[in-house]
Structures are given as structure tokens and as C-alpha cells.
Amino acid sequence: MPASAYTRAKQPEQVRRALLDHAAAIAMDHGVSGVTVQAVAAAAGVTKGGLFHHFGSKQALIEGLFADLLARVDAEIDAAIEADPKPLGSFTRAYVNAVFTGKAFGFATPWAALSMVVVTDPSLRKLWNDWMKARLKRHRATDAAPEFQIVRLAADGAWLSFVTTGQTRMNADWRAVHDRLIAQTYRRG
């Protein structure tokens, strides 16, 4: 018999993770507007009070969900940079790959559509902007040239086009765009 919210041992990190995972699943199936405190708490098997212990409001839960997405993107980008033998442009290549084929918010992931809310939500937009500013500062020595910014902006535009047109998978045309953008990161000098 599974433990209920009232009988299981307190495991705050596991509860927080379950809340984020269930909120993400609900958001992917029903959009961010479908993420209600009741729905997430019920799906995670906790009380609403338990949810509020971890996230003080629905907005805090959504922000936590987006921060979790950014942490996943960070890990993916860091791994790609570490594996890249050419430092110049390595962040831009990792970013383009994350946008087009990444597991965190690449074209084919459910996160891609979920991250559309960043356009309309000021607090999420601030989280994104702060994340990007920190990344650009961190990679100033290798990725500050305007050519790299153009490639990243083109990747953002491709992502927006892909998500807003309701496509579900990357085809040969998108792969060609990806490959062309990556090639542009090597044409500096």
C-alpha cells in the first residue's frame, strides 16, 4: 500500500521534485493555465499545504518550474562546451544545439512549448534575461563577437517559428538550418 501524504516519512527534496515533475507534466498537457495548486498537489500526492510549504504561491511554483528548466539547459550546455575541442564559439554552438536538438528545451521536447510563457510573464522573462546575461558574461572571451550573437538570435528565431507553427519534429529543412548556424560559428577570423 503506497504511503499517503499523511503517513510517509518527510523527504522534502523528493516532494519538491515530485511537485515540479507533476507541474511540468500538467503544463505540457494543458498549458501553464492548467497548472493549478489543487491539480499539482493531487498529482504529487501531497496536500495543498504541502505544496505551499515548498512554493508559496502558484506563481512561485511556475517560477520554480522555469528555474528547473534553466538548470537542465545549463547542465546540457556545460556538457557540450566541455566536449567541444574548439573554445571559440563553444557556448554559441552549445546554445544552438540546445535549442534545436537539446533534451531540455530542444524543438522536439514538450518543454519547447512550455517555455513560450517566458514571452508573456515578466518574472519568467527576468529569469531568462538574468540567465542569458550571466551566460554571456561567463563566455565573453569566447562568444562575445557580433557574429556569434547573430547565430544565437537566428536560433531563437528558428525556435520561435518552430514552436508557434505547431510542428512536432525536426525535418531535413530544420536540420539544414541547424547545420548552417553551427558552420557559421567556425567562420570567424
Side-chain angles (χ1 to χ4, degrees):
M1 171 188 250
S4 75
Y6 301 102
T7 60
R8 72 172 163 250
K10 293 193 184 282
Q11 300 170 330
E13 283 308 308
Q14 287 180 334
V15 171
R16 187 175 195 286
R17 178 81 261 149
L19 289 166
L20 289 171
D21 290 345
H22 288 288
I26 291 168
M28 287 183 247
D29 290 342
H30 305 289
V32 174
S33 62
V35 178
T36 65
V37 170
Q38 182 61 45
V40 174
V46 301
T47 64
K48 287 196 284 186
L51 183 147
F52 285 129
H53 174 75
H54 293 278
F55 303 99
S57 65
K58 176 183 171 181
Q59 182 65 29
L61 174 62
I62 300 298
E63 289 171 10
L65 189 57
F66 194 71
D68 187 58
L69 170 61
L70 287 177
R72 292 172 191 229
V73 172
D74 261 343
E76 198 169 290
I77 286 175
D78 286 342
I81 289 170
E82 188 174 317
D84 193 329
K86 297 189 183 263
L88 189 65
S90 60
F91 168 67
T92 299
R93 284 188 292 281
Y95 182 78
V96 169
N97 285 326
V99 167
F100 277 78
T101 61
K103 292 181 175 107
F105 72 52
F107 280 179
T109 67
W111 283 107
L114 176 62
S115 58
M116 277 298 295
V117 77
V118 76
V119 175
T120 58
D121 186 299
S123 63
L124 298 183
R125 195 166 48 245
K126 182 177 179 349
L127 283 172
W128 175 261
N129 286 332
D130 290 349
W131 175 82
M132 183 57 83
K133 285 177 186 174
R135 275 294 182 166
L136 293 175
K137 182 178 180 183
R138 182 172 159 193
H139 303 290
R140 184 178 301 137
T142 59
D143 290 79
E147 295 85 4
F148 296 130
Q149 182 178 12
I150 290 167
V151 169
R152 290 189 304 272
L153 290 171
D156 290 344
W159 170 85
L160 184 62
S161 177
F162 188 90
V163 171
T164 58
T165 56
Q167 298 179 51
T168 57
R169 62 183 172 80
M170 200 163 101
N171 60 28
D173 293 337
W174 285 112
R175 278 190 288 283
V177 171
H178 166 271
D179 294 348
R180 191 98 181 256
L181 290 174
I182 292 295
Q184 291 298 317
T185 68
Y186 293 111
R187 292 196 177 122
R188 182 143 191 276

